[in-house]
Amino acid sequence: MVDAPQERPSGPVHSGLYAVGMSVSDMSRISGECERLAAVQSASASYPVERGQIMQQCLARQGVRTVRLPECPSAVREAALRAGPSGRTVMPPLAQDACIMTLPGGQQPILANPSEYL
């Protein structure tokens, strides 16, 4: 598992949630559960509690982590859009050139191994 690619292209860096071996639907469920927990705990705490910190701790306990990755190069983005969804059911390990692409609708999927599109 790779936390940060060694070579980074210049440009925007985005954050995304990732969990090697976890399905996207499980990660969405866990994310929703952690979001609800963070809302309840931060609202009911007798001292100031950062909602984001509670959320990150909850996600980490479930094996989900935040990764910071660069925007995918345009050639990778175009190739990935032509190829369509990968059909994977679980998230693979991140390659050194992992990146995030921004779709027209605002979604930002993580491409774990962009070189497979080129």
Side-chain angles (χ1 to χ4, degrees):
M1 184 166 36
V2 176
D3 283 345
Q6 292 174 355
E7 292 182 33
R8 297 299 223 182
S10 60
V13 174
H14 305 282
S15 294
L17 297 176
Y18 207 80
V20 174
M22 188 178 289
S23 72
V24 173
S25 62
D26 282 345
M27 194 166 79
S28 293
R29 178 186 50 76
I30 289 168
S31 180
E33 290 170 1
C34 289
E35 194 170 315
R36 287 186 293 280
L37 175 71
V40 168
Q41 285 189 357
S42 65
S44 65
S46 58
Y47 57 91
V49 178
E50 290 292 325
R51 187 176 179 166
Q53 183 180 5
I54 295 169
M55 175 99 174
Q56 288 299 318
Q57 290 172 350
C58 177
L59 290 168
R61 283 192 302 270
Q62 300 293 325
V64 178
R65 63 192 174 100
T66 300
V67 293
R68 292 181 45 79
L69 298 169
E71 181 76 27
C72 294
S74 59
V76 169
R77 184 182 185 283
E78 291 166 15
L81 288 172
R82 279 193 305 274
S86 68
R88 288 189 177 105
T89 58
V90 297
M91 293 178 222
L94 295 175
Q96 289 292 321
D97 60 346
C99 59
I100 294 178
M101 67 181 215
T102 303
L103 299 176
Q107 304 93 335
Q108 293 186 310
I110 294 173
L111 297 185
N113 187 7
S115 58
E116 70 186 13
Y117 294 100
L118 299 175

